[in-house]
PDB file of all heavy atoms in Angstrom:
ATOM      1  N   LYS A   1       6.924  -1.907 -10.306  1.00  0.00           N
ATOM      2  CA  LYS A   1       6.980  -1.839 -11.762  1.00  0.00           C
ATOM      3  C   LYS A   1       7.427  -0.451 -12.179  1.00  0.00           C
ATOM      4  O   LYS A   1       7.114   0.521 -11.510  1.00  0.00           O
ATOM      5  CB  LYS A   1       5.595  -2.099 -12.374  1.00  0.00           C
ATOM      6  CG  LYS A   1       5.033  -3.458 -12.094  1.00  0.00           C
ATOM      7  CD  LYS A   1       3.652  -3.587 -12.691  1.00  0.00           C
ATOM      8  CE  LYS A   1       2.962  -4.823 -12.149  1.00  0.00           C
ATOM      9  NZ  LYS A   1       1.570  -4.854 -12.506  1.00  0.00           N
ATOM     10  N   SER A   2       8.110  -0.385 -13.305  1.00  0.00           N
ATOM     11  CA  SER A   2       8.510   0.898 -13.870  1.00  0.00           C
ATOM     12  C   SER A   2       7.615   1.181 -15.069  1.00  0.00           C
ATOM     13  O   SER A   2       7.573   0.406 -16.028  1.00  0.00           O
ATOM     14  CB  SER A   2       9.967   0.857 -14.288  1.00  0.00           C
ATOM     15  OG  SER A   2      10.342   2.082 -14.879  1.00  0.00           O
ATOM     16  N   VAL A   3       6.887   2.308 -15.012  1.00  0.00           N
ATOM     17  CA  VAL A   3       5.998   2.696 -16.101  1.00  0.00           C
ATOM     18  C   VAL A   3       6.369   4.115 -16.517  1.00  0.00           C
ATOM     19  O   VAL A   3       6.222   5.063 -15.743  1.00  0.00           O
ATOM     20  CB  VAL A   3       4.516   2.649 -15.653  1.00  0.00           C
ATOM     21  CG1 VAL A   3       3.592   3.111 -16.767  1.00  0.00           C
ATOM     22  CG2 VAL A   3       4.157   1.254 -15.176  1.00  0.00           C
ATOM     23  N   ASN A   4       6.867   4.269 -17.750  1.00  0.00           N
ATOM     24  CA  ASN A   4       7.281   5.548 -18.296  1.00  0.00           C
ATOM     25  C   ASN A   4       8.280   6.285 -17.387  1.00  0.00           C
ATOM     26  O   ASN A   4       8.159   7.485 -17.164  1.00  0.00           O
ATOM     27  CB  ASN A   4       6.069   6.450 -18.560  1.00  0.00           C
ATOM     28  CG  ASN A   4       5.143   5.861 -19.595  1.00  0.00           C
ATOM     29  OD1 ASN A   4       5.584   5.153 -20.492  1.00  0.00           O
ATOM     30  ND2 ASN A   4       3.862   6.128 -19.467  1.00  0.00           N
ATOM     31  N   GLY A   5       9.219   5.552 -16.825  1.00  0.00           N
ATOM     32  CA  GLY A   5      10.241   6.166 -15.997  1.00  0.00           C
ATOM     33  C   GLY A   5       9.821   6.464 -14.570  1.00  0.00           C
ATOM     34  O   GLY A   5      10.586   7.007 -13.802  1.00  0.00           O
ATOM     35  N   GLN A   6       8.587   6.124 -14.213  1.00  0.00           N
ATOM     36  CA  GLN A   6       8.116   6.305 -12.847  1.00  0.00           C
ATOM     37  C   GLN A   6       7.705   4.961 -12.282  1.00  0.00           C
ATOM     38  O   GLN A   6       7.343   4.045 -12.994  1.00  0.00           O
ATOM     39  CB  GLN A   6       6.943   7.269 -12.806  1.00  0.00           C
ATOM     40  CG  GLN A   6       7.310   8.672 -13.227  1.00  0.00           C
ATOM     41  CD  GLN A   6       6.175   9.641 -13.000  1.00  0.00           C
ATOM     42  OE1 GLN A   6       5.033   9.251 -12.865  1.00  0.00           O
ATOM     43  NE2 GLN A   6       6.509  10.920 -12.976  1.00  0.00           N
ATOM     44  N   LEU A   7       7.776   4.845 -10.963  1.00  0.00           N
ATOM     45  CA  LEU A   7       7.510   3.582 -10.291  1.00  0.00           C
ATOM     46  C   LEU A   7       6.070   3.471  -9.843  1.00  0.00           C
ATOM     47  O   LEU A   7       5.469   4.439  -9.358  1.00  0.00           O
ATOM     48  CB  LEU A   7       8.422   3.428  -9.076  1.00  0.00           C
ATOM     49  CG  LEU A   7       9.910   3.461  -9.351  1.00  0.00           C
ATOM     50  CD1 LEU A   7      10.680   3.373  -8.055  1.00  0.00           C
ATOM     51  CD2 LEU A   7      10.307   2.334 -10.286  1.00  0.00           C
ATOM     52  N   VAL A   8       5.518   2.267  -9.986  1.00  0.00           N
ATOM     53  CA  VAL A   8       4.199   1.919  -9.442  1.00  0.00           C
ATOM     54  C   VAL A   8       4.449   0.793  -8.452  1.00  0.00           C
ATOM     55  O   VAL A   8       5.003  -0.257  -8.817  1.00  0.00           O
ATOM     56  CB  VAL A   8       3.234   1.476 -10.556  1.00  0.00           C
ATOM     57  CG1 VAL A   8       1.920   1.022  -9.959  1.00  0.00           C
ATOM     58  CG2 VAL A   8       3.029   2.593 -11.555  1.00  0.00           C
ATOM     59  N   ILE A   9       4.067   1.000  -7.206  1.00  0.00           N
ATOM     60  CA  ILE A   9       4.330   0.059  -6.126  1.00  0.00           C
ATOM     61  C   ILE A   9       3.021  -0.498  -5.605  1.00  0.00           C
ATOM     62  O   ILE A   9       2.112   0.265  -5.276  1.00  0.00           O
ATOM     63  CB  ILE A   9       5.120   0.735  -4.993  1.00  0.00           C
ATOM     64  CG1 ILE A   9       6.447   1.277  -5.530  1.00  0.00           C
ATOM     65  CG2 ILE A   9       5.345  -0.215  -3.840  1.00  0.00           C
ATOM     66  CD1 ILE A   9       7.200   2.149  -4.572  1.00  0.00           C
ATOM     67  N   ASN A  10       2.921  -1.830  -5.525  1.00  0.00           N
ATOM     68  CA  ASN A  10       1.771  -2.510  -4.943  1.00  0.00           C
ATOM     69  C   ASN A  10       2.210  -3.207  -3.658  1.00  0.00           C
ATOM     70  O   ASN A  10       3.188  -3.951  -3.659  1.00  0.00           O
ATOM     71  CB  ASN A  10       1.186  -3.538  -5.910  1.00  0.00           C
ATOM     72  CG  ASN A  10       0.575  -2.907  -7.120  1.00  0.00           C
ATOM     73  OD1 ASN A  10       0.004  -1.829  -7.053  1.00  0.00           O
ATOM     74  ND2 ASN A  10       0.724  -3.557  -8.263  1.00  0.00           N
ATOM     75  N   LEU A  11       1.478  -2.957  -2.566  1.00  0.00           N
ATOM     76  CA  LEU A  11       1.783  -3.568  -1.278  1.00  0.00           C
ATOM     77  C   LEU A  11       0.582  -4.369  -0.787  1.00  0.00           C
ATOM     78  O   LEU A  11      -0.548  -3.880  -0.835  1.00  0.00           O
ATOM     79  CB  LEU A  11       2.081  -2.486  -0.237  1.00  0.00           C
ATOM     80  CG  LEU A  11       3.287  -1.609  -0.474  1.00  0.00           C
ATOM     81  CD1 LEU A  11       3.288  -0.457   0.516  1.00  0.00           C
ATOM     82  CD2 LEU A  11       4.533  -2.420  -0.336  1.00  0.00           C
ATOM     83  N   HIS A  12       0.820  -5.563  -0.294  1.00  0.00           N
ATOM     84  CA  HIS A  12      -0.200  -6.378   0.339  1.00  0.00           C
ATOM     85  C   HIS A  12       0.235  -6.559   1.787  1.00  0.00           C
ATOM     86  O   HIS A  12       1.289  -7.135   2.053  1.00  0.00           O
ATOM     87  CB  HIS A  12      -0.322  -7.730  -0.370  1.00  0.00           C
ATOM     88  CG  HIS A  12      -0.855  -7.616  -1.761  1.00  0.00           C
ATOM     89  ND1 HIS A  12      -2.177  -7.737  -2.042  1.00  0.00           N
ATOM     90  CD2 HIS A  12      -0.245  -7.359  -2.941  1.00  0.00           C
ATOM     91  CE1 HIS A  12      -2.360  -7.569  -3.334  1.00  0.00           C
ATOM     92  NE2 HIS A  12      -1.197  -7.343  -3.912  1.00  0.00           N
ATOM     93  N   ILE A  13      -0.572  -6.041   2.722  1.00  0.00           N
ATOM     94  CA  ILE A  13      -0.174  -6.005   4.125  1.00  0.00           C
ATOM     95  C   ILE A  13      -1.246  -6.597   5.029  1.00  0.00           C
ATOM     96  O   ILE A  13      -2.400  -6.794   4.617  1.00  0.00           O
ATOM     97  CB  ILE A  13       0.137  -4.570   4.578  1.00  0.00           C
ATOM     98  CG1 ILE A  13      -1.106  -3.702   4.507  1.00  0.00           C
ATOM     99  CG2 ILE A  13       1.271  -3.972   3.778  1.00  0.00           C
ATOM    100  CD1 ILE A  13      -0.949  -2.346   5.178  1.00  0.00           C
ATOM    101  N   SER A  14      -0.841  -6.852   6.267  1.00  0.00           N
ATOM    102  CA  SER A  14      -1.779  -7.164   7.334  1.00  0.00           C
ATOM    103  C   SER A  14      -1.650  -6.085   8.393  1.00  0.00           C
ATOM    104  O   SER A  14      -0.553  -5.562   8.621  1.00  0.00           O
ATOM    105  CB  SER A  14      -1.499  -8.564   7.910  1.00  0.00           C
ATOM    106  OG  SER A  14      -0.241  -8.599   8.526  1.00  0.00           O
ATOM    107  N   VAL A  15      -2.759  -5.743   9.004  1.00  0.00           N
ATOM    108  CA  VAL A  15      -2.775  -4.664   9.994  1.00  0.00           C
ATOM    109  C   VAL A  15      -3.356  -5.158  11.310  1.00  0.00           C
ATOM    110  O   VAL A  15      -4.029  -6.179  11.363  1.00  0.00           O
ATOM    111  CB  VAL A  15      -3.576  -3.435   9.497  1.00  0.00           C
ATOM    112  CG1 VAL A  15      -2.929  -2.821   8.273  1.00  0.00           C
ATOM    113  CG2 VAL A  15      -5.001  -3.781   9.215  1.00  0.00           C
ATOM    114  N   SER A  16      -3.120  -4.396  12.354  1.00  0.00           N
ATOM    115  CA  SER A  16      -3.657  -4.723  13.684  1.00  0.00           C
ATOM    116  C   SER A  16      -5.125  -4.375  13.750  1.00  0.00           C
ATOM    117  O   SER A  16      -5.588  -3.404  13.159  1.00  0.00           O
ATOM    118  CB  SER A  16      -2.913  -3.915  14.755  1.00  0.00           C
ATOM    119  OG  SER A  16      -1.564  -4.231  14.772  1.00  0.00           O
ATOM    120  N   TYR A  17      -5.847  -5.172  14.527  1.00  0.00           N
ATOM    121  CA  TYR A  17      -7.272  -4.920  14.736  1.00  0.00           C
ATOM    122  C   TYR A  17      -7.444  -3.665  15.591  1.00  0.00           C
ATOM    123  O   TYR A  17      -6.727  -3.444  16.560  1.00  0.00           O
ATOM    124  CB  TYR A  17      -7.915  -6.108  15.447  1.00  0.00           C
ATOM    125  CG  TYR A  17      -9.377  -5.914  15.728  1.00  0.00           C
ATOM    126  CD1 TYR A  17     -10.316  -6.060  14.732  1.00  0.00           C
ATOM    127  CD2 TYR A  17      -9.811  -5.538  16.997  1.00  0.00           C
ATOM    128  CE1 TYR A  17     -11.658  -5.869  14.972  1.00  0.00           C
ATOM    129  CE2 TYR A  17     -11.153  -5.343  17.255  1.00  0.00           C
ATOM    130  CZ  TYR A  17     -12.068  -5.510  16.237  1.00  0.00           C
ATOM    131  OH  TYR A  17     -13.386  -5.305  16.479  1.00  0.00           O
ATOM    132  N   GLY A  18      -8.387  -2.817  15.212  1.00  0.00           N
ATOM    133  CA  GLY A  18      -8.732  -1.658  16.010  1.00  0.00           C
ATOM    134  C   GLY A  18      -8.004  -0.374  15.631  1.00  0.00           C
ATOM    135  O   GLY A  18      -8.202   0.652  16.282  1.00  0.00           O
ATOM    136  N   VAL A  19      -7.183  -0.407  14.614  1.00  0.00           N
ATOM    137  CA  VAL A  19      -6.497   0.815  14.200  1.00  0.00           C
ATOM    138  C   VAL A  19      -7.227   1.466  13.033  1.00  0.00           C
ATOM    139  O   VAL A  19      -7.979   0.804  12.313  1.00  0.00           O
ATOM    140  CB  VAL A  19      -5.015   0.544  13.820  1.00  0.00           C
ATOM    141  CG1 VAL A  19      -4.221   0.081  15.014  1.00  0.00           C
ATOM    142  CG2 VAL A  19      -4.928  -0.466  12.705  1.00  0.00           C
ATOM    143  N   ASN A  20      -6.991   2.739  12.836  1.00  0.00           N
ATOM    144  CA  ASN A  20      -7.630   3.477  11.764  1.00  0.00           C
ATOM    145  C   ASN A  20      -6.923   3.124  10.456  1.00  0.00           C
ATOM    146  O   ASN A  20      -5.778   3.538  10.231  1.00  0.00           O
ATOM    147  CB  ASN A  20      -7.529   4.980  12.052  1.00  0.00           C
ATOM    148  CG  ASN A  20      -8.271   5.822  11.050  1.00  0.00           C
ATOM    149  OD1 ASN A  20      -8.591   5.375   9.962  1.00  0.00           O
ATOM    150  ND2 ASN A  20      -8.539   7.065  11.432  1.00  0.00           N
ATOM    151  N   ILE A  21      -7.608   2.379   9.594  1.00  0.00           N
ATOM    152  CA  ILE A  21      -6.995   1.873   8.368  1.00  0.00           C
ATOM    153  C   ILE A  21      -6.601   2.999   7.414  1.00  0.00           C
ATOM    154  O   ILE A  21      -5.531   2.975   6.814  1.00  0.00           O
ATOM    155  CB  ILE A  21      -7.897   0.833   7.697  1.00  0.00           C
ATOM    156  CG1 ILE A  21      -7.966  -0.405   8.580  1.00  0.00           C
ATOM    157  CG2 ILE A  21      -7.397   0.478   6.309  1.00  0.00           C
ATOM    158  CD1 ILE A  21      -8.884  -1.479   8.100  1.00  0.00           C
ATOM    159  N   SER A  22      -7.436   4.015   7.293  1.00  0.00           N
ATOM    160  CA  SER A  22      -7.100   5.097   6.359  1.00  0.00           C
ATOM    161  C   SER A  22      -5.855   5.861   6.837  1.00  0.00           C
ATOM    162  O   SER A  22      -5.033   6.285   6.021  1.00  0.00           O
ATOM    163  CB  SER A  22      -8.267   6.044   6.178  1.00  0.00           C
ATOM    164  OG  SER A  22      -8.580   6.725   7.370  1.00  0.00           O
ATOM    165  N   ALA A  23      -5.688   6.000   8.135  1.00  0.00           N
ATOM    166  CA  ALA A  23      -4.496   6.667   8.668  1.00  0.00           C
ATOM    167  C   ALA A  23      -3.242   5.822   8.408  1.00  0.00           C
ATOM    168  O   ALA A  23      -2.181   6.364   8.056  1.00  0.00           O
ATOM    169  CB  ALA A  23      -4.643   6.938  10.159  1.00  0.00           C
ATOM    170  N   ILE A  24      -3.370   4.502   8.571  1.00  0.00           N
ATOM    171  CA  ILE A  24      -2.255   3.608   8.302  1.00  0.00           C
ATOM    172  C   ILE A  24      -1.858   3.679   6.829  1.00  0.00           C
ATOM    173  O   ILE A  24      -0.673   3.789   6.489  1.00  0.00           O
ATOM    174  CB  ILE A  24      -2.592   2.158   8.705  1.00  0.00           C
ATOM    175  CG1 ILE A  24      -2.682   2.022  10.203  1.00  0.00           C
ATOM    176  CG2 ILE A  24      -1.582   1.176   8.144  1.00  0.00           C
ATOM    177  CD1 ILE A  24      -3.149   0.667  10.668  1.00  0.00           C
TER     178      ILE A  24
END
């Protein structure tokens, strides 16, 4: 989405089990 000339991006993902989610 474009809000006031800047972009807002929403991502819905799947990740591998056992990885550090905050690092990803």
Side-chain angles (χ1 to χ4, degrees):
K1 297 178 193 170
S2 178
V3 178
N4 297 330
Q6 295 188 342
L7 300 177
V8 176
I9 300 170
N10 293 325
L11 297 171
H12 293 267
I13 63 169
S14 64
V15 297
S16 299
Y17 179 78
V19 295
N20 185 341
I21 292 176
S22 65
I24 290 174

